Amino acid sequence: MKITKELYDERFNRVVSAVRREIPDRVPVMPMVEEWVMHHADISLIEAFKNSPDANFEAYKKTFTDVYVDAQWGNMNIFPIDVMSNFGEGLYVLTDHSLQIKGSHGNLMNADEYDQLISDPVNFIGNTLIPRKFPSLTGDKQEIKNKFFKAFDDFKVFLQHNAIVNKRVAEELGIPFMAKGALYTTPDIVMDFLRDFVGTMGDIKRYPDKFYAACDSLFDYTMRMLTSSYTTPEDNHWIFSPLHLPTYLKPKDFEKLYFPFLYKMVDELCVKRGYNQMLFMENLWEPYYEILSDLPKTDKLVGLIEKGDLKKAKDSIGNKMCIMGGMQVDLLARGSVEQCIDQAKWCLDELAPGGGYIFSTDSVIMSHTDAKAENLIAVCDYIHENGVY
């Protein structure tokens, strides 16, 4: 029987080989499971995410004893809610059963403020938008300092909690967490944090040049934030980049206003700096495959494809990125074991040949109703047992 360190290295190297579009020993198994882990183990989210790293670990232990995985993209405890509570109400609400985001809270900047953002994004964000978002950061300077001191202390507790969990999952379960950082494209930053969806779509129609200039002005700032916190790209972990805006754009607008920043991000991270990057390609990307074929050539890029024909994706853009996905969450939630195994078999037959493929769910499993345990167990076992090259 292999010791845990050997299992960890074997699984990690299997994923790295797939990302490089080489042929590993087996197809890596990497379902996107988040809060489902805690639900499957019948452990409160508050207990797992805030109160007890031991409870958090036990949830992973229970789930990944039942469900075979080679890796996970990351520890799901990613929102330091206690930190943000020092400054007022945050975007996320954590209960025993769910972690929810409040919608329509991203319209922080006014349409007539683009010039200020473009001319000096750091100053505008720090001195205008942050006080607007957090009114408690105005007034008595000592009180503001005390809030920051308390927030830093809370953040250290948050980091220590996750460090304990991550270490135990690696050393006791032999399972790597692949992500070490996250970076949004700058158009997604404008939409998610500054102008919200309605504002952004209106701006693209009315002020496309200002929208482009704002995205350009933010690029170096966001890149510095990431690379200063994750400084070791040679360790072959991932930068996680969820792509939110593209599929709401016409292909011509995507090509003009979004793709330049996606290209620049991939080129800067993967080509010039040697980071591995995972693109979470939300919704249907088939209308954009021809444009994506112009992405930089790299062996550091993974694309999780949420919708559409993944065989078409591999044929169209599989020379630009490792393809990840293939197992529909809808089928895991409502289908039979036999139907789910049929889909897993299709993934092996159509996506695995030639390497450059990671078996995964097509979207994130969160609620306990998102996937029947017997279905997820069955497909992960099937790929692990039959996905041998």
Side-chain angles (χ1 to χ4, degrees), residues 109 114 117 121 125 183-196 200 204 210-225 241-246 257-266 269 277:
M109 187 183 87
Y114 268 106
L117 176 65
I125 291 170
L183 183 65
Y184 288 54
T185 66
T186 51
D188 284 318
I189 290 173
V190 172
M191 182 179 77
D192 290 359
F193 302 107
L194 303 182
R195 291 289 291 141
D196 215 345
T200 298
I204 286 172
K210 287 186 182 293
F211 178 82
Y212 186 98
C215 295
D216 195 43
S217 73
L218 288 165
F219 186 84
D220 289 342
Y221 173 49
T222 59
M223 191 63 61
R224 286 197 305 272
M225 289 179 65
S241 296
L243 310 182
H244 296 154
L245 176 60
L257 298 174
Y258 192 97
F259 184 70
F261 302 104
L262 178 60
Y263 182 101
K264 190 176 180 181
M265 181 173 69
V266 172
L269 289 176
Q277 185 176 19

Side-chain angles (χ1 to χ4, degrees), residues 47-64:
E47 192 68 13
F49 285 173
K50 292 182 64 174
N51 298 339
S52 172
D54 290 336
N56 198 338
F57 170 76
E58 290 300 325
Y60 283 115
K61 182 178 180 180
K62 162 63 178 171
T63 300
F64 296 145

Side-chain angles (χ1 to χ4, degrees), residues 99-162:
L99 176 66
Q100 297 179 340
I101 185 170
K102 299 176 182 177
S104 301
H105 282 249
N107 190 4
L108 188 63
M109 187 183 87
N110 300 319
D112 60 4
E113 293 177 314
Y114 268 106
D115 288 340
Q116 297 177 61
L117 176 65
I118 293 165
S119 65
D120 191 345
V122 176
N123 178 66
F124 178 65
I125 291 170
N127 294 320
T128 300
L129 296 187
I130 289 180
R132 183 180 295 169
K133 184 176 181 65
F134 302 109
S136 64
L137 294 179
T138 58
D140 183 81
K141 291 184 178 179
Q142 187 58 48
E143 288 185 5
I144 295 172
K145 287 181 181 179
N146 292 339
K147 290 179 187 293
F148 274 103
F149 291 147
K150 176 63 165 54
F152 284 129
D153 288 341
D154 289 338
F155 193 56
K156 284 189 287 186
V157 172
F158 172 78
L159 293 177
Q160 289 165 355
H161 180 114
N162 280 346

Side-chain angles (χ1 to χ4, degrees), residues 12-135:
F12 187 84
N13 291 332
R14 183 173 296 148
V15 174
V16 170
S17 179
V19 173
R20 291 174 178 167
R21 302 196 300 281
E22 299 169 350
I23 298 179
D25 60 334
R26 296 173 179 267
V27 173
V29 178
M30 196 172 168
M32 295 284 285
V33 287
E34 291 195 355
E35 287 84 7
W36 191 90
V37 171
M38 287 74 201
H39 295 306
H40 180 70
D42 196 24
I43 289 176
S44 150
L45 264 67
I46 291 177
E47 192 68 13
F49 285 173
K50 292 182 64 174
N51 298 339
S52 172
D54 290 336
N56 198 338
F57 170 76
E58 290 300 325
Y60 283 115
K61 182 178 180 180
K62 162 63 178 171
T63 300
F64 296 145
T65 298
D66 294 344
V67 182
Y68 179 85
V69 301
D70 285 306
Q72 280 296 287
W73 76 268
N75 184 330
M76 295 306 102
N77 188 20
I78 57 177
F79 301 109
I81 293 174
D82 285 347
V83 175
M84 301 314 299
S85 68
N86 290 283
F87 308 118
E89 186 180 28
L91 282 178
Y92 294 91
V93 177
L94 179 66
T95 71
D96 282 333
H97 306 290
S98 67
L99 176 66
Q100 297 179 340
I101 185 170
K102 299 176 182 177
S104 301
H105 282 249
N107 190 4
L108 188 63
M109 187 183 87
N110 300 319
D112 60 4
E113 293 177 314
Y114 268 106
D115 288 340
Q116 297 177 61
L117 176 65
I118 293 165
S119 65
D120 191 345
V122 176
N123 178 66
F124 178 65
I125 291 170
N127 294 320
T128 300
L129 296 187
I130 289 180
R132 183 180 295 169
K133 184 176 181 65
F134 302 109

Side-chain angles (χ1 to χ4, degrees), residues 15 318 375 389:
V15 174
N375 286 345
Y389 283 101

